Amino acid sequence: MTRILAVANQKGGVGKTTTSVNLAAGLAQSGMRVLLVDLDPQGNATMGSGIDKRTLRTSIYQVLLGLATADSARQKSESGGYDLIPANRDLAGAEIELVDLEHRETRLKGALESVAGQYEFILLDCPPALNILTLNGLVAANAVMIPMQCEYYALEGLSDLVNTIKRIRQHLNPKLDIEGLLRTMYDPRNALAQQVSAQLKEHFGKKVYETVIPRNVRLAEAPSFGAPAVSLDRECKGSQAYVALAGEILSRNGITAAA
Ligand code: ATP
Ligand code: MG
């Protein structure tokens, strides 16, 4: 069965893309067939997977507008070990162009149907906004993974996202679940981080992943090599955390890893 996870948080810079590429690579290293979809005009997941966003012939933009199939738009990320539907700044125009199209919130869902069966996991790297692109991600997904930094305003932003998820459940995707909340760039010595982390657990209980992603410079450097850190240096602290996250997700979903 295919599990489609939207990696979403409308707050910018919380680690959505870092999580998307490293989790995709971690799951692939466990023998899973993985498709990563870049839903952000910034194209960071595309570049971080070793695919040049400036020279794309087909991207998620054409797929959402019905001008290309998911099958024809996907490419292999050699460095990551997964497939990728890339994005670039063309996608920024999609929001306006989609307005006039029918079923504008369900276009990604429809487009993925033909390829979904070929993967155990499809990850959707959403942009930092609750816009039509993120909406397409949330409608196509089985569940949402929410990366967040344990900072003062983190919980406030979270309620907007949780309310959006509730609205989508009412209208467009009744089964949309919260897969989990992921603490990123975590510093256990920081008292505020500990406090926010405790509040998170109080509100969301077991939905908070046990795995915590530490601040690690290798994770930040990896995109400049066009590869997930998990592929470049599996031993660094950041990679180990993402490999552990992949394991936690596999066991939550009742899947035994092949490798
Ligand atoms: P956006 O909202 O712009 O899409 P994002 O939520 O996808 O951002 P990332 O791009 O993954 O966030 O991360 C933001 C910045 O923080 C990047 O420069 C990234 O390399 C860095 N970063 C992410 N996670 C870590 C980490 N655990 N340790 C150190 N640096 C990190
Ligand atoms: Mg991003």
Side-chain angles (χ1 to χ4, degrees):
M1 209 187 65
T2 312
R3 189 96 181 125
I4 306 181
L5 302 180
V7 181
N9 188 336
Q10 78 278 16
K11 198 164 172 2
V14 295
K16 292 179 290 294
T17 302
T18 305
T19 298
S20 298
V21 298
N22 284 290
L23 180 60
L27 289 168
Q29 287 180 9
S30 298
M32 298 295 118
R33 291 167 301 172
V34 182
L35 173 67
L36 173 59
V37 181
D38 191 347
L39 278 179
D40 188 343
Q42 294 181 100
N44 294 342
T46 298
M47 296 299 276
S49 301
I51 290 167
D52 192 342
K53 67 179 177 183
R54 293 159 299 193
T55 57
L56 301 178
R57 248 181 292 134
T58 3
S59 70
I60 191 66
Y61 168 76
Q62 278 93 353
V63 175
L64 289 173
L65 288 176
L67 305 171
T69 61
D71 176 48
S72 68
R74 68 182 156 177
Q75 299 189 37
K76 180 100 198 150
S77 163
E78 299 293 344
S79 63
Y82 49 80
D83 288 349
L84 173 89
I85 301 183
N88 59 21
R89 55 189 302 185
D90 291 349
L91 188 55
E95 192 160 6
I96 297 153
E97 290 167 62
L98 280 170
V99 169
D100 295 330
L101 300 181
E102 272 180 59
H103 310 299
R104 62 197 192 108
E105 299 95 351
T106 58
R107 301 191 74 88
L108 180 65
K109 183 185 169 72
L112 290 177
E113 265 160 19
S114 61
V115 296
Q118 298 166 36
Y119 301 98
E120 276 85 25
F121 284 93
I122 300 180
L123 304 181
L124 313 173
D125 183 29
C126 295
L130 292 173
N131 58 15
I132 187 71
L133 297 169
T134 296
L135 218 57
N136 264 272
L138 296 177
V139 170
N142 306 120
V144 194
M145 167 182 287
I146 308 171
M148 55 177 301
Q149 277 182 272
C150 289
E151 297 173 334
Y152 186 63
Y153 291 114
L155 292 165
E156 207 171 293
L158 211 53
S159 61
D160 290 337
L161 181 56
V162 169
N163 285 334
T164 302
I165 293 170
K166 282 185 185 154
R167 262 191 294 122
I168 289 176
R169 270 192 205 130
Q170 281 163 12
H171 301 293
L172 294 160
N173 187 2
K175 291 196 181 139
L176 182 65
D177 201 3
I178 293 179
E179 152 76 33
L181 290 101
L182 178 66
R183 291 163 287 172
T184 59
M185 297 177 241
Y186 193 76
D187 176 2
R189 291 163 303 182
N190 180 317
L192 178 62
Q194 286 176 17
Q195 213 176 313
V196 173
S197 179
Q199 283 175 342
L200 261 190
K201 283 191 185 157
E202 213 174 287
H203 284 281
F204 293 95
K206 288 205 159 61
K207 292 279 179 201
V208 181
Y209 292 108
E210 276 172 38
T211 308
V212 169
I213 310 299
R215 194 171 277 285
N216 178 243
V217 69
R218 297 292 282 153
L219 291 174
E221 287 168 353
S224 66
F225 298 100
V230 162
S231 308
L232 283 176
D233 176 4
R234 207 170 189 264
E235 299 309 315
C236 74
K237 286 262 182 319
S239 295
Q240 284 180 0
Y242 277 112
V243 168
L245 178 68
E248 188 175 349
I249 287 171
L250 288 175
S251 75
R252 274 190 185 199
N253 286 281
I255 303 168
T256 319

